[in-house]
Protein backbone atom coordinates (compact mmCIF):
# COMPACT_ATOMS: atom_id res chain seq x y z
CA UNK A 1 0.00 0.00 0.00
CA UNK A 2 2.83 2.39 0.93
CA UNK A 3 4.58 1.68 -2.39
CA UNK A 4 1.32 2.32 -4.27
CA UNK A 5 0.84 5.70 -2.56
CA UNK A 6 4.45 6.63 -3.31
CA UNK A 7 3.93 5.86 -6.98
CA UNK A 8 0.78 7.96 -7.07
CA UNK A 9 2.57 10.90 -5.45
CA UNK A 10 5.47 10.64 -7.91
CA UNK A 11 3.08 10.39 -10.84
CA UNK A 12 1.22 13.50 -9.70
CA UNK A 13 4.50 15.35 -9.28
CA UNK A 14 5.63 14.42 -12.79
CA UNK A 15 2.26 15.47 -14.17
CA UNK A 16 2.55 18.83 -12.41
CA UNK A 17 6.04 19.35 -13.84
CA UNK A 18 4.82 18.36 -17.30
CA UNK A 19 1.87 20.74 -17.06
CA UNK A 20 4.05 23.66 -15.95
CA UNK A 21 6.44 22.92 -18.82
CA UNK A 22 3.61 22.82 -21.36
CA UNK A 23 2.26 26.15 -20.11
CA UNK A 24 5.73 27.69 -20.38
CA UNK A 25 6.30 26.28 -23.86
CA UNK A 26 2.84 27.40 -24.92
CA UNK A 27 3.51 30.95 -23.78
CA UNK A 28 6.82 31.02 -25.67
CA UNK A 29 5.14 29.58 -28.78
CA UNK A 30 2.59 32.40 -28.68
CA UNK A 31 5.42 34.92 -28.42
CA UNK A 32 6.89 33.53 -31.63
CA UNK A 33 3.88 34.88 -33.49
CA UNK A 34 4.98 38.42 -32.70
CA UNK A 35 8.07 40.23 -33.96
CA UNK A 36 11.00 40.16 -31.51
CA UNK A 37 10.71 43.65 -30.02
CA UNK A 38 6.95 43.61 -29.29
CA UNK A 39 7.22 40.07 -27.89
CA UNK A 40 10.08 40.94 -25.53
CA UNK A 41 8.40 44.15 -24.43
CA UNK A 42 5.15 42.28 -23.79
CA UNK A 43 6.95 39.66 -21.67
CA UNK A 44 8.50 42.50 -19.65
CA UNK A 45 5.09 44.13 -19.11
CA UNK A 46 3.41 40.84 -18.20
CA UNK A 47 5.99 39.83 -15.60
CA UNK A 48 5.86 43.27 -14.00
CA UNK A 49 2.14 42.63 -13.46
CA UNK A 50 2.31 38.97 -12.43
CA UNK A 51 5.58 38.77 -10.49
CA UNK A 52 4.68 41.13 -7.62
CA UNK A 53 1.56 39.06 -6.96
CA UNK A 54 3.57 35.91 -6.22
CA UNK A 55 4.95 34.80 -2.87
CA UNK A 56 8.48 35.01 -4.25
CA UNK A 57 8.12 38.80 -4.41
CA UNK A 58 8.41 38.86 -0.62
CA UNK A 59 11.82 37.18 -0.86
CA UNK A 60 12.93 39.71 -3.45
CA UNK A 61 12.00 42.62 -1.20
CA UNK A 62 13.73 41.02 1.77
CA UNK A 63 16.87 40.52 -0.32
CA UNK A 64 16.72 44.15 -1.41
CA UNK A 65 16.22 45.43 2.15
CA UNK A 66 19.28 43.49 3.26
CA UNK A 67 21.38 44.58 0.29
CA UNK A 68 20.26 48.23 0.16
CA UNK A 69 19.22 49.36 3.65
CA UNK A 70 19.95 52.93 2.61
CA UNK A 71 17.25 52.89 -0.09
CA UNK A 72 13.61 53.70 0.55
CA UNK A 73 10.92 51.03 0.39
CA UNK A 74 9.58 52.67 -2.79
CA UNK A 75 13.03 52.47 -4.42
CA UNK A 76 13.37 48.81 -3.50
CA UNK A 77 9.89 48.05 -4.83
CA UNK A 78 10.80 49.75 -8.10
CA UNK A 79 13.94 47.61 -8.43
CA UNK A 80 11.99 44.44 -7.63
CA UNK A 81 9.31 45.16 -10.23
CA UNK A 82 11.95 45.98 -12.84
CA UNK A 83 13.75 42.74 -11.98
CA UNK A 84 10.55 40.82 -12.72
CA UNK A 85 10.44 42.61 -16.07
CA UNK A 86 13.99 41.54 -16.86
CA UNK A 87 13.08 37.94 -16.04
CA UNK A 88 10.25 38.18 -18.53
CA UNK A 89 12.66 39.53 -21.09
CA UNK A 90 15.10 36.69 -20.44
CA UNK A 91 12.39 34.10 -21.12
CA UNK A 92 11.27 35.83 -24.32
CA UNK A 93 14.83 36.30 -25.52
CA UNK A 94 15.26 32.53 -25.62
CA UNK A 95 12.75 32.46 -28.45
CA UNK A 96 14.52 35.17 -30.43
CA UNK A 97 18.16 34.62 -29.45
CA UNK A 98 19.24 33.86 -33.00
CA UNK A 99 17.72 37.16 -34.15
CA UNK A 100 19.04 39.13 -31.20
CA UNK A 101 22.61 37.94 -31.49
CA UNK A 102 23.50 39.69 -34.71
CA UNK A 103 27.05 40.65 -33.75
CA UNK A 104 29.51 40.40 -36.60
CA UNK A 105 33.18 41.04 -35.70
CA UNK A 106 33.65 42.40 -39.21
CA UNK A 107 30.75 44.90 -38.89
CA UNK A 108 30.96 46.19 -35.35
CA UNK A 109 28.39 48.71 -34.17
CA UNK A 110 25.73 47.76 -36.71
CA UNK A 111 23.50 45.45 -34.67
CA UNK A 112 21.90 44.94 -31.28
CA UNK A 113 25.08 43.62 -29.69
CA UNK A 114 28.15 45.60 -28.77
CA UNK A 115 31.22 43.90 -27.33
CA UNK A 116 33.79 45.38 -24.98
CA UNK A 117 37.11 43.58 -24.66
CA UNK A 118 37.42 42.20 -28.19
CA UNK A 119 41.25 42.10 -27.99
CA UNK A 120 40.92 39.68 -25.06
CA UNK A 121 38.64 37.36 -27.04
CA UNK A 122 41.13 37.35 -29.90
CA UNK A 123 44.16 36.91 -27.65
CA UNK A 124 42.61 33.90 -25.90
CA UNK A 125 41.63 32.42 -29.25
CA UNK A 126 44.99 32.95 -30.92
CA UNK A 127 47.09 31.84 -27.94
CA UNK A 128 45.29 28.77 -26.60
CA UNK A 129 45.81 27.97 -22.93
CA UNK A 130 43.77 27.00 -19.90
CA UNK A 131 41.57 29.86 -18.64
CA UNK A 132 38.38 30.45 -16.67
CA UNK A 133 35.71 33.05 -17.38
CA UNK A 134 33.21 33.80 -14.62
CA UNK A 135 29.94 35.68 -14.76
CA UNK A 136 26.69 36.16 -12.83
CA UNK A 137 22.93 36.12 -13.40
CA UNK A 138 22.89 39.65 -14.80
CA UNK A 139 20.86 40.67 -17.87
CA UNK A 140 21.01 37.91 -20.51
CA UNK A 141 24.08 36.01 -19.32
CA UNK A 142 23.35 33.31 -21.94
CA UNK A 143 24.75 35.62 -24.63
CA UNK A 144 28.33 35.45 -23.32
CA UNK A 145 29.27 31.94 -24.57
CA UNK A 146 27.45 32.71 -27.81
CA UNK A 147 29.69 35.77 -28.19
CA UNK A 148 32.78 33.67 -27.54
CA UNK A 149 31.69 31.25 -30.25
CA UNK A 150 31.29 34.19 -32.65
CA UNK A 151 35.02 34.82 -32.24
CA UNK A 152 35.87 31.16 -32.60
CA UNK A 153 36.49 30.89 -28.85
CA UNK A 154 34.65 27.90 -27.44
CA UNK A 155 34.44 27.18 -23.72
CA UNK A 156 32.98 24.40 -21.61
CA UNK A 157 30.10 26.03 -19.76
CA UNK A 158 29.06 24.82 -16.30
CA UNK A 159 25.32 25.29 -15.85
CA UNK A 160 22.66 24.24 -13.37
CA UNK A 161 19.74 22.58 -15.16
CA UNK A 162 16.23 23.76 -14.19
CA UNK A 163 14.53 21.59 -11.57
CA UNK A 164 11.73 20.78 -14.01
CA UNK A 165 13.10 17.89 -16.15
CA UNK A 166 10.90 18.75 -19.16
CA UNK A 167 12.10 22.35 -19.19
CA UNK A 168 15.67 21.22 -18.50
CA UNK A 169 15.68 19.03 -21.61
CA UNK A 170 14.46 21.88 -23.85
CA UNK A 171 16.93 24.37 -22.36
CA UNK A 172 19.81 21.93 -22.79
CA UNK A 173 18.96 21.31 -26.45
CA UNK A 174 18.67 25.06 -27.06
CA UNK A 175 22.00 25.87 -25.42
CA UNK A 176 23.83 22.95 -27.05
CA UNK A 177 23.19 24.32 -30.54
CA UNK A 178 24.56 27.80 -29.79
CA UNK A 179 27.26 27.47 -27.15
CA UNK A 180 30.35 25.44 -26.44
CA UNK A 181 30.41 22.16 -24.56
CA UNK A 182 27.81 22.10 -21.77
CA UNK A 183 28.62 20.60 -18.38
CA UNK A 184 25.56 20.08 -16.14
CA UNK A 185 26.24 20.88 -12.51
CA UNK A 186 26.42 17.62 -10.57
CA UNK A 187 28.85 15.54 -8.55
CA UNK A 188 31.16 14.83 -11.49
CA UNK A 189 31.12 18.27 -13.13
CA UNK A 190 34.41 19.36 -11.55
CA UNK A 191 36.21 16.48 -13.27
CA UNK A 192 34.75 17.43 -16.65
CA UNK A 193 35.94 21.02 -16.23
CA UNK A 194 39.35 19.83 -15.05
CA UNK A 195 39.73 17.70 -18.18
CA UNK A 196 38.95 20.73 -20.34
CA UNK A 197 41.58 22.84 -18.58
CA UNK A 198 44.08 20.00 -18.69
CA UNK A 199 43.56 19.86 -22.46
CA UNK A 200 44.41 23.57 -22.70
CA UNK A 201 40.85 24.84 -23.13
CA UNK A 202 38.64 27.35 -21.34
CA UNK A 203 35.68 27.00 -19.03
CA UNK A 204 32.83 29.35 -18.08
CA UNK A 205 31.25 29.41 -14.61
CA UNK A 206 28.37 31.26 -12.94
CA UNK A 207 29.59 32.22 -9.47
CA UNK A 208 26.52 33.77 -7.80
CA UNK A 209 24.45 30.63 -7.38
CA UNK A 210 23.07 29.44 -4.06
CA UNK A 211 25.45 26.88 -2.56
CA UNK A 212 24.65 25.08 0.68
CA UNK A 213 28.19 23.80 1.19
CA UNK A 214 31.32 25.79 0.55
CA UNK A 215 33.53 28.46 2.01
CA UNK A 216 32.09 31.16 4.23
CA UNK A 217 32.18 34.57 2.55
CA UNK A 218 30.06 37.70 2.44
CA UNK A 219 27.85 39.23 -0.24
CA UNK A 220 26.38 42.69 0.30
CA UNK A 221 27.75 42.50 3.84
CA UNK A 222 25.84 39.33 4.75
CA UNK A 223 27.30 35.82 5.18
CA UNK A 224 26.90 33.36 2.31
CA UNK A 225 28.38 30.04 1.31
CA UNK A 226 30.33 30.25 -1.96
CA UNK A 227 31.29 27.37 -4.21
CA UNK A 228 35.10 27.00 -4.10
CA UNK A 229 35.24 25.16 -7.44
CA UNK A 230 36.62 28.03 -9.51
CA UNK A 231 39.32 28.81 -6.95
CA UNK A 232 40.36 25.17 -6.69
CA UNK A 233 40.55 24.77 -10.47
CA UNK A 234 42.57 27.98 -10.80
CA UNK A 235 44.93 26.74 -8.10
CA UNK A 236 45.30 23.31 -9.68
CA UNK A 237 46.00 24.56 -13.21
CA UNK A 238 47.53 27.96 -12.39
CA UNK A 239 45.33 29.52 -15.08
CA UNK A 240 44.13 33.05 -15.71
CA UNK A 241 40.66 34.09 -14.55
CA UNK A 242 38.56 36.69 -16.38
CA UNK A 243 35.33 38.45 -15.32
CA UNK A 244 32.62 38.84 -17.96
CA UNK A 245 29.07 40.18 -17.91
CA UNK A 246 26.09 41.16 -20.02
CA UNK A 247 24.34 44.54 -19.66
CA UNK A 248 20.91 45.28 -21.09
CA UNK A 249 20.72 48.56 -22.99
CA UNK A 250 17.63 50.53 -24.12
CA UNK A 251 15.90 49.33 -27.26
CA UNK A 252 16.47 45.61 -26.62
CA UNK A 253 20.18 45.95 -27.13
CA UNK A 254 23.07 44.48 -25.15
CA UNK A 255 26.65 45.17 -24.21
CA UNK A 256 28.88 42.17 -23.53
CA UNK A 257 32.03 42.84 -21.55
CA UNK A 258 35.06 40.72 -20.82
CA UNK A 259 37.45 42.36 -18.39
CA UNK A 260 41.21 41.92 -17.91
CA UNK A 261 42.27 38.97 -15.82
CA UNK A 262 42.05 39.36 -12.06
CA UNK A 263 44.98 39.04 -9.67
CA UNK A 264 44.06 36.12 -7.45
CA UNK A 265 45.02 36.41 -3.76
CA UNK A 266 47.77 34.21 -2.38
CA UNK A 267 48.63 32.82 1.04
CA UNK A 268 51.88 33.58 2.84
CA UNK A 269 53.38 30.46 1.23
CA UNK A 270 52.42 31.57 -2.28
CA UNK A 271 49.49 29.16 -2.71
CA UNK A 272 46.27 30.48 -4.16
CA UNK A 273 43.97 31.43 -1.27
CA UNK A 274 40.67 29.63 -1.96
CA UNK A 275 38.52 31.55 0.53
CA UNK A 276 39.95 34.95 -0.43
CA UNK A 277 39.43 34.12 -4.11
CA UNK A 278 35.80 33.19 -3.45
CA UNK A 279 35.37 36.54 -1.70
CA UNK A 280 36.97 38.33 -4.64
CA UNK A 281 34.36 36.78 -6.95
CA UNK A 282 31.54 37.91 -4.67
CA UNK A 283 32.95 41.44 -4.53
CA UNK A 284 33.13 41.63 -8.32
CA UNK A 285 29.55 40.41 -8.73
CA UNK A 286 28.36 42.82 -6.04
CA UNK A 287 29.95 45.73 -7.92
CA UNK A 288 28.07 44.69 -11.06
CA UNK A 289 24.77 44.35 -9.20
CA UNK A 290 25.15 47.74 -7.52
CA UNK A 291 25.65 49.33 -10.94
CA UNK A 292 22.52 47.75 -12.50
CA UNK A 293 20.50 46.33 -9.57
CA UNK A 294 17.35 45.74 -11.61
CA UNK A 295 19.21 43.43 -13.99
CA UNK A 296 20.08 40.82 -11.34
CA UNK A 297 17.76 37.96 -10.36
CA UNK A 298 16.66 39.08 -6.90
CA UNK A 299 14.15 36.23 -6.62
CA UNK A 300 17.21 33.95 -6.35
CA UNK A 301 17.69 32.84 -2.72
CA UNK A 302 21.43 33.60 -2.58
CA UNK A 303 21.39 34.12 1.21
CA UNK A 304 19.36 30.97 1.94
CA UNK A 305 16.59 32.83 3.76
CA UNK A 306 13.56 31.35 1.97
CA UNK A 307 12.86 28.79 4.69
CA UNK A 308 12.67 31.42 7.40
CA UNK A 309 10.13 33.36 5.29
CA UNK A 310 8.04 30.24 4.59
CA UNK A 311 8.03 30.91 0.85
CA UNK A 312 7.31 28.35 -1.85
Amino acid sequence: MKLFVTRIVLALRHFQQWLVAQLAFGFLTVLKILPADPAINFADWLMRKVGPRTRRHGLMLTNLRNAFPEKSEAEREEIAVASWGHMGRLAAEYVFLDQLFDFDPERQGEGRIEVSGIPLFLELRDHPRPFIVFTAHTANFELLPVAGAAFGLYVSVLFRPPNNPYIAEKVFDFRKKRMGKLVPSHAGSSFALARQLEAGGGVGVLVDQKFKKGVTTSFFGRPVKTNPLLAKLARQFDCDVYPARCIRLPGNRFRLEIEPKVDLPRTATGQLDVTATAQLLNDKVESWVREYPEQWLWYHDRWNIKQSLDLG
Side-chain angles (χ1 to χ4, degrees), residues 56-64 80 83-84 87 298-299:
R56 185 62 65 140
H57 191 65
L59 174 63
M60 294 177 72
L61 291 176
T62 299
N63 285 339
L64 284 162
S83 182
W84 282 115
M87 280 188 278
W298 288 99
Y299 86 110

Side-chain angles (χ1 to χ4, degrees), residues 152-280:
L153 181 67
Y154 296 92
V155 299
S156 290
V157 180
L158 179 67
F159 76 101
R160 182 183 180 278
N163 293 330
N164 187 307
Y166 301 99
I167 294 177
E169 182 180 3
K170 288 282 189 180
V171 169
F172 181 81
D173 290 340
F174 178 87
R175 287 168 166 166
K176 183 173 61 177
K177 296 175 183 177
R178 295 160 178 83
M179 304 175 187
K181 181 180 178 182
L182 297 173
V183 180
S185 179
H186 53 63
S189 57
S190 59
F191 297 104
L193 296 180
R195 286 194 296 270
Q196 176 73 2
L197 292 169
E198 189 174 27
V203 302
V205 182
L206 280 159
V207 297
D208 61 340
Q209 294 173 311
K210 178 180 175 181
F211 198 71
K212 294 182 179 180
K213 300 178 181 179
V215 296
T216 300
T217 55
S218 66
F219 187 53
F220 279 89
R222 299 180 66 83
V224 291
K225 294 291 187 180
T226 298
N227 192 335
L229 176 60
L230 184 151
K232 289 182 176 180
L233 289 172
R235 181 177 63 184
Q236 179 180 352
F237 293 97
D238 192 28
C239 57
D240 294 336
V241 175
Y242 298 86
R245 64 169 169 168
C246 175
I247 301 170
R248 277 201 179 89
L249 303 175
N252 295 321
R253 299 180 63 254
F254 307 86
R255 181 164 69 249
L256 307 178
E257 298 180 347
I258 183 169
E259 302 177 18
K261 67 179 181 180
V262 295
D263 292 325
L264 301 180
R266 303 275 173 174
T267 65
T269 60
Q271 291 289 317
L272 190 147
D273 189 322
V274 171
T275 300
T277 296
Q279 185 60 58
L280 181 150

Side-chain angles (χ1 to χ4, degrees), residues 1-9:
M1 182 65 180
K2 185 177 179 181
L3 179 60
F4 175 75
V5 171
T6 300
R7 288 178 175 174
I8 292 295
V9 170

Side-chain angles (χ1 to χ4, degrees), residues 64 66-71 79 138 219-222 245 282-296 298 303:
L64 284 162
N66 292 336
F68 298 111
E70 74 281 3
K71 292 185 182 296
I79 293 171
T138 59
F219 187 53
F220 279 89
R222 299 180 66 83
R245 64 169 169 168
N282 286 353
D283 292 343
K284 171 55 73 172
V285 173
E286 181 177 331
S287 72
W288 290 340
V289 177
R290 286 186 178 277
E291 190 175 358
Y292 298 99
E294 73 284 354
Q295 297 193 21
W296 194 59
W298 288 99
W303 291 273

Side-chain angles (χ1 to χ4, degrees), residues 51-112:
R53 299 176 182 272
T54 66
R55 297 175 70 192
R56 185 62 65 140
H57 191 65
L59 174 63
M60 294 177 72
L61 291 176
T62 299
N63 285 339
L64 284 162
R65 290 187 195 104
N66 292 336
F68 298 111
E70 74 281 3
K71 292 185 182 296
S72 68
E73 191 67 16
E75 289 175 313
R76 292 190 287 262
E77 177 71 21
E78 183 179 358
I79 293 171
V81 171
S83 182
W84 282 115
H86 279 275
M87 280 188 278
R89 288 178 176 275
L90 181 62
E93 286 159 2
Y94 263 101
V95 175
F96 300 101
L97 190 60
D98 292 330
Q99 296 179 41
L100 296 178
F101 193 84
D102 57 2
F103 179 78
D104 184 345
E106 303 300 324
R107 298 186 296 113
Q108 298 177 33
E110 296 185 14
R112 294 177 183 266

